[in-house]
Amino acid sequence: MSPFGSPLATSQGSDDGPQDQALDRDAFHAALMAKGDYYHIHHPYQVDMAEGRASPEQIRGWVANRFYYQINIPLKDAALMANCPDAATRRRWIQRLLDHDGHADDGGGIEAWLALGEAVGLTRDELWSQEHVLPGVRFAVDAYVNFVRRADWREGAISSLTELFAPQAHRSRLDTWPTHYPWIDQTGYAYFRKRLNEARRDVDHGLELALDLCTAQAAQQRALEILQFKLDVLWSMLDAMTLAYQLDRPPYHSVTDRRVYHRGLQ
């Protein structure tokens, strides 16, 4: 049994803290925050975008591939709620679905991302068709969604803790992109502005859950392992984009210049 009561295997230990005793609340918080060193904002692809070295093709490639992540976030959150027996948690978590899918007069994050796509020169049809989504990106995102579907809901919640570092990424894009990429229609930046407040609210809830749940050493080690898994997902997405858009080695580049890779299996 895992530290959270699910049939998943427990962590066998890592280098993130003492192996024989639990960290106190502040030390565990610090251990979670230290994982920010591996957040994808530090990936060379992200650094190039932030410092103005990305080409229009590289910006569009990132927007198109990241859209696949965006449309899967509500599916991930719905799966987590389906696994969660606690009504109070579901009532708070459902706001994440509404943030992405939209509600009332709020078009939601997916609609805002479509506007970003148009601002960088993509069409909505291109984004929805997933024709630009690289296999490596698809595999990474699908692995994340499948993890949450199968995990104890508490482990699924902890996997969302990369949100701890997200406001920094959104702020960086708002601060740097208008200067470096004047060709981008600035109306497309609404998504990043929208997520600044939403991400901070989500962080408060996710961090509260993690700190309350992870008081034993095994649970803390498992949480750090899960957070690293999510960081691996985000980093791997950018590795795939680096091959395709920076090194000019997209999938099957030695065989064909056509996008023959699959667009999803039912």
Side-chain angles (χ1 to χ4, degrees):
M1 298 291 286
S2 86
F4 303 111
S6 75
L8 297 176
T10 62
S11 171
Q12 297 303 307
S14 70
D15 297 326
D16 295 291
Q19 301 302 302
D20 57 350
Q21 63 183 12
L23 302 171
D24 65 29
R25 192 177 181 92
D26 289 341
F28 179 52
H29 185 189
L32 291 170
M33 295 304 299
K35 287 292 187 180
D37 291 347
Y38 311 109
Y39 190 52
H40 66 163
I41 196 172
H42 302 299
H43 192 286
Y45 198 102
Q46 289 273 16
V47 172
D48 284 347
M49 289 195 295
E51 296 183 357
R53 291 188 293 269
S55 68
E57 180 194 22
Q58 289 161 4
I59 295 285
R60 293 183 189 115
W62 178 78
V63 171
N65 278 273
R66 183 79 179 189
F67 183 67
Y68 185 68
Y69 179 84
Q70 300 304 132
I71 61 176
N72 273 279
I73 293 301
L75 303 183
K76 177 269 297 184
D77 288 325
L80 185 148
M81 289 195 299
N83 291 337
C84 178
D86 181 59
T89 299
R90 293 198 304 269
R91 282 193 294 269
R92 291 184 69 179
W93 206 274
I94 199 172
Q95 185 61 48
R96 300 174 188 237
L97 277 173
L98 299 175
D99 288 343
H100 281 82
D101 284 342
H103 57 94
D105 296 328
D106 183 348
I110 291 174
E111 175 59 30
W113 199 272
L114 288 166
L116 173 62
E118 291 179 316
V120 302
L122 297 165
T123 68
R124 288 172 176 250
D125 286 345
E126 277 182 280
L127 291 170
W128 281 119
S129 74
Q130 301 177 17
E131 64 187 82
H132 299 292
V133 178
L134 301 164
V137 170
R138 189 181 298 277
F139 294 152
V141 173
D142 290 354
Y144 177 39
V145 175
N146 287 331
F147 170 79
V148 176
R149 281 178 176 152
R150 297 170 183 172
D152 181 282
W153 72 270
R154 292 163 290 191
E155 295 195 337
I158 286 167
S159 72
S160 75
L161 282 180
T162 48
E163 293 161 345
L164 289 167
F165 322 115
Q168 177 188 3
H170 300 317
R171 184 76 265 166
S172 172
R173 291 170 196 135
L174 289 169
D175 289 343
T176 62
W177 281 29
T179 299
H180 293 316
Y181 309 111
W183 55 271
I184 298 177
D185 185 340
Q186 295 200 25
T187 60
Y189 296 139
Y191 177 86
F192 305 135
R193 289 191 292 270
K194 182 180 192 307
R195 285 301 297 164
L196 277 175
N197 290 328
E198 293 174 352
R200 291 189 181 102
R201 182 207 61 218
D202 293 346
V203 162
D204 289 344
H205 185 207
L207 188 57
E208 173 190 320
L209 284 171
L211 295 177
D212 288 347
L213 289 168
C214 301
T215 57
Q217 183 271 342
Q220 291 175 349
Q221 291 299 318
R222 178 63 173 167
L224 290 165
E225 182 178 291
I226 290 168
L227 180 52
Q228 186 61 58
F229 159 72
K230 176 63 182 306
L231 292 163
D232 293 350
V233 166
L234 297 173
W235 197 274
S236 295
M237 291 169 63
L238 289 171
D239 283 347
M241 292 182 231
T242 297
L243 281 170
Y245 305 121
Q246 291 188 323
L247 301 181
D248 197 25
R249 292 187 173 185
Y252 307 106
H253 70 279
S254 61
V255 179
T256 180
D257 59 2
R258 293 184 297 115
R259 299 188 193 109
V260 297
Y261 30 94
H262 75 289
R263 298 187 190 179
L265 302 174
Q266 298 300 320

